[in-house]
């Protein structure tokens, strides 16, 4: 084991390591540990002893603090309790969100074990088709997600709604960023009323909207808020389109990361939408690729949600954000 100030070799023992940039300590609870201070020769620590390396690599020996040690059984118990609390909090938040009168469409995999539909629309008018997308572990124990890997993986949905102000939310885990775009939602193709929400290879979150008065897509992009270190971890993304204030706002893990002027007010038609893919049926553009990762949940609201509401939703995926 390597720390900023000490290298520790386990010789068959139970021990505790506390590591910080300016101070590291090793406490031997049972057995023997070999410690290699980076500026001095090796030393051995026996049961009940400890060593502390402080600023300027100064060493001090002291009795071991047994209260720091957590057994494997206790660690498993703590992990189980954490996951249970997390799951309970997520389920409570889900019940709250699906009761929102402005929710238009939602999907998650929480109900599949109880034979419930993974897709939810309060009006009951949603036409949904899941193509491919195998079930995989989600953000925490007890919650599954859908994997988007092959070209055909996608969720198609159609709801009879046209909105110029709305909110999109999704929990996403990317396998990588090295592709033209990791699409989360696609509506239509490339003309008027089209919409595409994606993460590009630079780590920018983008919303592309087809304008009413000209061809092409207008890009509303954040700065590079994600990098290769974010691959494999769960993130919560949201974007709001506010036609009243003429504003597009991107959120990452509950925090606003970009606020951009909306160039044109457009009623997006959500009767032709796809999650996790944006290769339209009528196009054969090889530059467009499906999402390479997992989606745990997705929601579409017919209003502009507040930053506080979005932060509360993000905290169900990232509990460490509670209270921020």
């Amino acid at each position: 084991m390597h720390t900023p100030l000490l290298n520790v070799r386990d010789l068959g023992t139970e021990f505790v390591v506390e590591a910080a940039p300016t101070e590291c300590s090793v406490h031997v609870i049972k057995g023997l540990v070999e410690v290699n201070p980076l500026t001095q020769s090796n030393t051995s620590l026996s049961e009940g002893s400890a060593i502390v390396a402080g600023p300027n690599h100064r060493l001090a020996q002291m009795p071991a603090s047994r209260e720091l040690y957590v057994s494997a059984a206790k660690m498993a118990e703590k992990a189980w309790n954490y996951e249970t609390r997390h799951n309970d909090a997520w389920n409570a938040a889900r019940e709250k969100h699906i009761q929102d009168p402005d929710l238009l469409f939602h999907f998650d995999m929480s109900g599949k074990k109880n034979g419930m539909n993974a897709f939810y629309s309060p009006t009951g008018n949603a036409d949904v088709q899941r193509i491919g997308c195998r079930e995989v572990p989600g953000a925490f124990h007890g919650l599954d997600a859908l994997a988007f890997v092959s070209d055909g993986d996608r969720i198609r949905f159609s709801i009879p709604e046209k909105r110029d102000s709305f909110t999109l939310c999704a929990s996403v885990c990317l396998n990588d960023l090295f592709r033209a775009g990791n699409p989360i939602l696609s509506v239509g193709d490339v003309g008027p009323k089209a919409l595409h929400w994606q993460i590009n290879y630079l780590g920018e979150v983008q919303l592309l909207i087809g304008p009413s008065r000209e061809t092409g897509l207008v890009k509303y992009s954040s700065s590079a808020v994600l990098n290769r270190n974010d691959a494999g971890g769960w993130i919560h993304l949201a974007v709001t389109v506010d036609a009243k204030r003429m504003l597009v706002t991107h959120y990452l893990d509950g925090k606003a990361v970009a606020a951009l002027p909306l160039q044109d007010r457009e009623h997006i038609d959500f009767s032709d939408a796809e999650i996790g893919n944006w290769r339209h049926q009528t196009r054969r553009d090889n530059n467009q690729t499906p999402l390479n990762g997992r989606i745990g949940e997705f929601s579409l609201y017919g209003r502009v949600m507040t930053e506080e509401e979005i932060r509360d939703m993000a905290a169900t995926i990232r509990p460490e954000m509670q209270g921020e």
Side-chain angles (χ1 to χ4, degrees):
M1 179 181 295
H2 303 282
T3 74
L5 300 174
L6 298 170
N7 293 327
V8 182
R9 183 185 177 195
D10 180 7
L11 299 177
T13 183
E14 294 176 350
F15 64 99
V16 177
V17 175
E18 291 190 308
T22 59
E23 183 174 289
C24 300
S25 64
V26 181
H27 302 256
V28 182
I29 309 303
K30 181 180 180 180
L32 188 68
V33 168
E34 182 181 277
V35 178
N36 172 219
L38 300 188
T39 60
Q40 300 181 35
S41 59
N42 293 2
T43 185
S44 294
L45 291 179
S46 58
E47 181 175 329
S49 60
I51 192 169
V52 179
N56 300 319
H57 299 269
R58 293 177 180 173
L59 300 179
Q61 292 201 6
M62 58 188 291
S65 297
R66 293 182 177 274
E67 62 271 15
L68 295 175
Y69 179 71
V70 180
S71 67
K74 190 65 176 179
M75 186 68 75
E77 180 184 350
K78 286 177 175 288
W80 175 259
N81 290 337
Y82 171 83
E83 292 287 358
T84 299
R85 291 195 304 270
H86 193 175
N87 204 319
D88 290 346
W90 185 90
N91 280 295
R94 178 189 185 276
E95 289 303 313
K96 174 184 175 181
H97 295 317
I98 65 174
Q99 297 301 321
D100 191 305
D102 292 307
L103 179 66
L104 302 179
F105 180 78
H106 175 85
F107 107 78
D108 64 63
M109 301 302 291
S110 64
K112 73 179 188 65
K113 293 182 177 64
N114 300 319
M116 297 169 59
N117 199 326
F119 309 102
Y120 175 79
S121 175
T123 63
N125 293 328
D127 181 15
V128 185
Q129 185 181 18
R130 171 181 158 187
I131 303 172
C133 307
R134 63 187 177 90
E135 296 171 14
V136 295
F140 52 89
H141 179 75
L143 182 65
D144 285 349
L146 293 180
F148 297 78
V149 179
S150 68
D151 288 353
D153 289 339
R154 65 193 70 205
I155 297 170
R156 290 177 178 161
F157 74 90
S158 174
I159 55 175
E161 296 285 348
K162 295 180 181 180
R163 299 294 174 112
D164 61 355
S165 294
F166 50 87
T167 300
L168 306 174
C169 302
S171 60
V172 180
C173 178
L174 297 177
N175 294 335
D176 67 60
L177 291 172
F178 299 107
R179 52 176 58 205
N182 273 294
I184 303 167
L185 177 70
S186 171
V187 178
D189 198 356
V190 295
K193 303 184 188 300
L195 176 146
H196 303 288
W197 185 30
Q198 68 171 15
I199 303 166
N200 70 8
Y201 72 99
L202 296 174
E204 301 169 342
V205 186
Q206 296 182 322
L207 188 71
L208 292 77
I209 299 179
S212 299
R213 293 191 289 269
E214 60 185 60
T215 60
L217 294 168
V218 176
K219 293 182 179 180
Y220 301 92
S221 301
S222 73
S223 59
V225 293
L226 297 169
N227 58 53
R228 63 192 310 170
N229 294 326
D230 294 300
W234 284 93
I235 58 174
H236 185 274
L237 295 173
V239 62
T240 60
V241 176
D242 188 337
K244 183 177 181 180
R245 298 172 59 201
M246 296 299 288
L247 191 67
V248 174
T249 306
H250 288 288
Y251 295 85
L252 170 63
D253 290 336
K255 297 180 180 179
V257 293
L260 308 160
L262 181 64
Q263 294 189 21
D264 198 4
R265 181 181 287 107
E266 181 64 60
H267 282 78
I268 303 300
D269 185 353
F270 290 98
S271 65
D272 177 23
E274 292 192 355
I275 297 173
N277 210 316
W278 80 319
R279 182 175 292 166
H280 196 272
Q281 298 179 66
T282 61
R283 303 185 67 206
R284 293 295 181 267
D285 184 350
N286 291 330
N287 290 324
Q288 305 308 331
T289 56
L291 177 77
N292 185 14
R294 293 171 280 172
I295 297 180
E297 58 183 321
F298 170 88
S299 300
L300 163 63
Y301 294 86
R303 65 177 170 87
V304 178
M305 303 190 79
T306 66
E307 183 167 355
E308 181 179 1
E309 290 175 311
I310 293 172
R311 185 170 60 249
D312 288 345
M313 285 191 290
T316 65
I317 296 297
R318 302 284 297 274
E320 67 272 18
M321 296 168 48
Q322 292 280 8
E324 287 188 4

